[in-house]
């Protein structure tokens, strides 16, 4: 099994967010728990391009999908 291509830190960079461990922890604390009936990309704290990126990565099962899943789990 190969290690993930991307990290949670690189996902936060891609989304234009603070990718430091403290920044990630603060983001998760501020935005969780995310309701079970809301898909990650539909959460109201994303701007249009961030939500579209998350949706596209999941739809395409891209290299980012595993890390997007990790973020989703962190917010639940």
């Amino acid at each position: 099994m190969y290690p993930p291509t991307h990290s949670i830190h690189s996902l936060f960079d891609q989304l234009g967010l603070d990718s430091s461990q403290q920044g990630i922890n603060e983001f998760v604390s501020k935005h969780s728990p995310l309701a079970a009936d809301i898909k990650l990309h539909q959460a109201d704290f994303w701007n249009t391009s961030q939500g579209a990126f998350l949706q596209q990565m999941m739809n395409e099962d891209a290299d980012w999908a595993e890390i997007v899943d990790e973020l989703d789990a962190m917010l639940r």
Side-chain angles (χ1 to χ4, degrees):
M1 183 172 198
Y2 298 102
T5 304
H6 302 288
S7 68
I8 193 72
H9 299 280
S10 61
L11 176 60
F12 272 66
D13 282 337
Q14 184 69 26
L15 294 169
L17 302 171
D18 180 354
S19 63
S20 69
Q21 191 59 54
Q22 180 179 348
I24 293 168
N25 293 343
E26 289 174 2
F27 181 89
V28 171
S29 292
K30 180 178 180 180
H31 297 295
S32 62
L34 184 60
D37 63 334
I38 298 175
K39 293 182 180 181
L40 178 63
H41 70 273
Q42 295 173 328
D44 63 1
F45 46 81
W46 303 121
N47 66 34
T48 303
S49 62
Q50 290 168 326
F53 173 78
L54 293 168
Q55 182 178 25
Q56 180 181 5
M57 294 305 100
M58 294 307 294
N59 288 347
E60 294 177 0
D61 196 25
D63 290 345
W64 290 99
E66 185 176 338
I67 300 303
V68 173
D69 279 341
E70 181 181 332
L71 176 58
D72 189 36
M74 292 168 69
L75 289 167
R76 304 292 171 166

